[in-house]
Amino acid sequence: MTFTETPLAGAYTIDIDKIGDERGFFGRSWCRREMDEAGLNANIAQINTSLSRYQGTLRGLHYQLAPYQESKMIRCTRGSIFDVIVDLRPDSATFLQWFGTELTADNHRALYSPEGFAQGFITLEDHSEITYFTSEFYAPGMDRGVRYDDPQIGIIWPLAPVVMSDKDKAWPDFSIDQLP
């Protein structure tokens, strides 16, 4: 696995080191030892799958409050997405900065989002599916979100959303008061 630090402190893209031949390739997409050596949270509480039927489906930006903050490792297993993470750690040098990257079934790239970040994505094609590992269990009542178009964050999405849940449409712009 190749870990490449993003401009946001503690967040990484993760690429598979492919060993290929005429059959295709083999590569490790997750390894506790390599995650530990990179200083990343290797605890897995849940592995979730999300399928979005339509291009332009936006999900997010989601996070959980302490003590249920979670790291996530997101990989697109079918289709393609533009995945975005936002640093919501007030003491971080990259507070309220965002990073986005294209994750596709073909590039096999993953994005690691540490605790204290919000995460969301927009689908770039129909029938896009992601699998993501979380370090904490979903905690009902502790989930929160930030508007995808919050002007103080200024995310530049590659296309306008056409499908969103009512809950995601209703998230407020970020306020420090949202954190405990």
Side-chain angles (χ1 to χ4, degrees), residues 27-41:
R28 189 173 295 120
S29 58
W30 190 89
C31 175
R32 176 181 296 272
R33 182 179 309 125
E34 291 183 49
M35 296 285 285
D36 286 341
E37 289 170 359
L40 308 182
N41 186 344

Side-chain angles (χ1 to χ4, degrees), residues 99-110:
F99 173 79
T101 191
E102 193 170 312
L103 305 178
T104 73
D106 292 333
N107 72 15
H108 306 283
R109 174 169 289 148

Side-chain angles (χ1 to χ4, degrees), residues 58 61 81-86 96-102 120-124 147-161:
L58 192 140
L61 301 159
I81 66 169
F82 183 73
D83 200 30
V84 172
I85 54 177
V86 179
L96 288 185
Q97 292 179 28
W98 66 276
F99 173 79
T101 191
E102 193 170 312
F121 64 91
I122 192 163
T123 57
L124 301 176
R147 282 187 60 80
Y148 77 97
D149 60 352
D150 183 327
Q152 64 187 324
I153 298 170
I155 297 169
I156 300 170
W157 297 95
L159 55 117

Side-chain angles (χ1 to χ4, degrees), residues 55-71:
Q55 178 184 32
T57 299
L58 192 140
R59 296 178 185 257
L61 301 159
H62 303 142
Y63 65 97
Q64 289 194 155
L65 296 174
Y68 303 101
Q69 292 174 318
E70 58 190 353
S71 64

Side-chain angles (χ1 to χ4, degrees), residues 41-136:
N41 186 344
N43 183 51
I44 298 174
Q46 291 181 189
I47 301 174
N48 303 305
T49 300
S50 170
L51 171 70
S52 298
R53 289 189 178 102
Y54 305 108
Q55 178 184 32
T57 299
L58 192 140
R59 296 178 185 257
L61 301 159
H62 303 142
Y63 65 97
Q64 289 194 155
L65 296 174
Y68 303 101
Q69 292 174 318
E70 58 190 353
S71 64
K72 293 180 182 179
M73 191 174 98
I74 305 102
R75 181 180 309 283
C76 183
T77 54
R78 180 166 60 174
S80 59
I81 66 169
F82 183 73
D83 200 30
V84 172
I85 54 177
V86 179
D87 189 345
L88 298 181
R89 302 170 300 178
D91 296 334
S92 171
T94 57
F95 178 59
L96 288 185
Q97 292 179 28
W98 66 276
F99 173 79
T101 191
E102 193 170 312
L103 305 178
T104 73
D106 292 333
N107 72 15
H108 306 283
R109 174 169 289 148
L111 180 61
Y112 176 83
S113 174
E115 296 88 343
F117 277 55
Q119 181 268 333
F121 64 91
I122 192 163
T123 57
L124 301 176
E125 58 187 281
D126 290 345
H127 305 290
S128 291
E129 182 176 273
I130 67 165
T131 297
Y132 60 101
F133 297 21
T134 63
S135 63
E136 287 293 331

